[in-house]
Amino acid sequence: MLILAGQGNPGAKYAKNRHNAGFLLLDRIHAEHGFGPWRAKFDGEISEGAVETQAGRQKVLLLKPQTFYNESGRAMSKACTFYKVGPGAVIVLHDEIDLAPGRLRMKTGAGAAGNNGVRSAIAHLGPDVRRIRVGVGHPGDKSLVMPYVLSDFSKADLTWFGPLGDAICKALPYLVAGEDERFQTEVMRLAPAPKLDPKQAGHPDTD
């Protein structure tokens, strides 16, 4: 079982926040790839399905932890224990302020870089968890980060977020097959990140 875990906060209040990018993208995958109904388990909401790859069908679990963002690793750990899989079977999908809006980067290992949800995943699973980092941009000042990520995506954001979701769904077989670099390249080919006005809020693009 491959576990694709989105980061986000539960409840309608947070549903369209930038911090819920992981949940929103899991919903797109759920719909596009015909996953089963959502149900409660592992301190989260789960849906089981399969993705067709060149090597055959791979079972995939979509997981939306309901423990709030900063404690999301707990649900991931419970799912790993149940399915008897190691941390290498988990891919965490999360928003990333240190990438420009619309950029997507795969990463394995390294630290949390201030992301408490990633810190929780690392604490429960170890440092080598695979991550899909979805750029949402930076508000330009550290003090503005929390209100920024806990605000809804803007109308301008939606012009790139929708196509990015489509691209992730189309390229998903590469991710499931373990071809992270090819997945990243294909997503960015299908949904290039928008060229931003330099007068807009800060948007570093670092790895």
Side-chain angles (χ1 to χ4, degrees), residues 90-151:
V90 180
I91 304 171
V92 182
L93 177 56
H94 66 90
D95 56 300
E96 177 60 80
I97 60 171
D98 289 333
L99 286 176
R103 300 285 288 185
L104 181 144
R105 287 287 180 268
M106 294 298 301
K107 193 167 192 175
T108 300
N115 185 311
N116 289 329
V118 174
R119 182 177 288 115
S120 177
I122 290 171
H124 285 274
L125 302 173
D128 294 328
V129 64
R130 292 161 67 193
R131 292 155 50 190
I132 306 173
R133 304 162 66 218
V134 175
V136 296
H138 196 289
D141 188 290
K142 187 176 180 181
S143 66
L144 299 176
V145 166
M146 194 53 66
Y148 177 74
V149 296
L150 291 178
S151 294

